[in-house]
Amino acid sequence: MKNTRWWLIRHAPVPNPGKVIYGRSDPPADIGDSDTLVALAARLPPQAVWVTSHLRRTRQTAAALRLPGSDMALVERALAEQDFGRWEGLSHDDVADWHPKEARRFWSDPATEAPPDGESFAAVMERVAGAVARLTDLYAGRDIVAVIHGGSIRAALALALDLTPQAALRLAVAPLSLSRIDHYGGDEGGGSWSVAALNALGTFSGHGR
């Protein structure tokens, strides 16, 4: 039986004084918290496969964490944050004022409803599950360090815990936190998951994605 370990790290905090929605937008991260970065890097395995999304806040964080001798991080677009469509760059107050009908519909069921021209969290779970399954098969028996987003980490945890989209949205994922899911699989495919860690080291700010 092969044990594949996913080390899930949410990117460093993003300065966001306007408290805008930036899910698929590309603002930079603040990687100035060197103490947390050093402590987090010390917990990561050597010779792991490193993965980020295509958004720079994950790539910046991975570059600050990467261990000497580790390979270049793979870029996996399917592990990106939720796409909030026309709400990207708006505050929640702006959304309520400018898109009241769509906002009421979305907040009636934020797990399965999508913002205008965006995607639902259920859709995020589907694409993340596909990427996690594919990379688990490709790197079976390895350590995979994935520096990604709060939404995509919730989706990966939901896969391991067999959660519905509604239940997965109850999970809080802090910036620069470490969660870990382990896959146990045989040569015939299939297998099972366990959760080995959740929100280690991270500090909650209450904002952002």
Side-chain angles (χ1 to χ4, degrees), residues 36-87:
T36 300
L37 288 165
V38 168
L40 185 51
R43 298 186 65 166
L44 300 177
Q47 300 178 332
V49 177
W50 283 70
V51 184
T52 70
S53 80
H54 64 291
L55 298 172
R56 63 175 161 174
R57 55 191 183 268
T58 66
R59 293 183 284 110
Q60 287 176 311
T61 305
L65 286 170
R66 286 241 308 283
L67 305 178
S70 61
D71 294 335
M72 182 71 69
L74 304 172
V75 175
E76 179 57 66
R77 298 181 71 91
L79 296 177
E81 184 57 279
Q82 184 173 354
D83 185 350
F84 285 88
R86 282 186 275 156
W87 294 352

Side-chain angles (χ1 to χ4, degrees), residues 69-128:
S70 61
D71 294 335
M72 182 71 69
L74 304 172
V75 175
E76 179 57 66
R77 298 181 71 91
L79 296 177
E81 184 57 279
Q82 184 173 354
D83 185 350
F84 285 88
R86 282 186 275 156
W87 294 352
E88 298 274 343
L90 302 181
S91 70
H92 289 282
D93 288 342
D94 290 337
V95 168
D97 289 343
W98 300 348
H99 302 266
K101 183 185 297 184
E102 294 90 343
R104 285 194 298 271
R105 176 181 53 77
F106 177 79
W107 288 115
S108 71
D109 186 2
T112 60
E113 293 288 346
D117 299 329
E119 64 179 338
S120 67
F121 182 69
V124 175
M125 284 178 56
E126 184 175 354
R127 65 169 164 80
V128 169

Side-chain angles (χ1 to χ4, degrees), residues 31 63 70 78 82 86 138 140 153 155 169 175 188 196:
I31 55 171
S70 61
Q82 184 173 354
R86 282 186 275 156
L138 187 60
I153 292 173
L169 281 178
E188 302 298 322

Side-chain angles (χ1 to χ4, degrees), residues 7 21 30 67-68 70 74 76-77 85 87 106 118 139 143 157 169 171 173 181 184-185 187 197:
W7 304 74
I21 299 167
D30 177 2
L67 305 178
S70 61
L74 304 172
E76 179 57 66
R77 298 181 71 91
W87 294 352
F106 177 79
Y139 298 108
D143 289 291
L157 289 166
L169 281 178
L171 298 171
V173 181
I181 58 175
Y184 301 90
D187 295 331

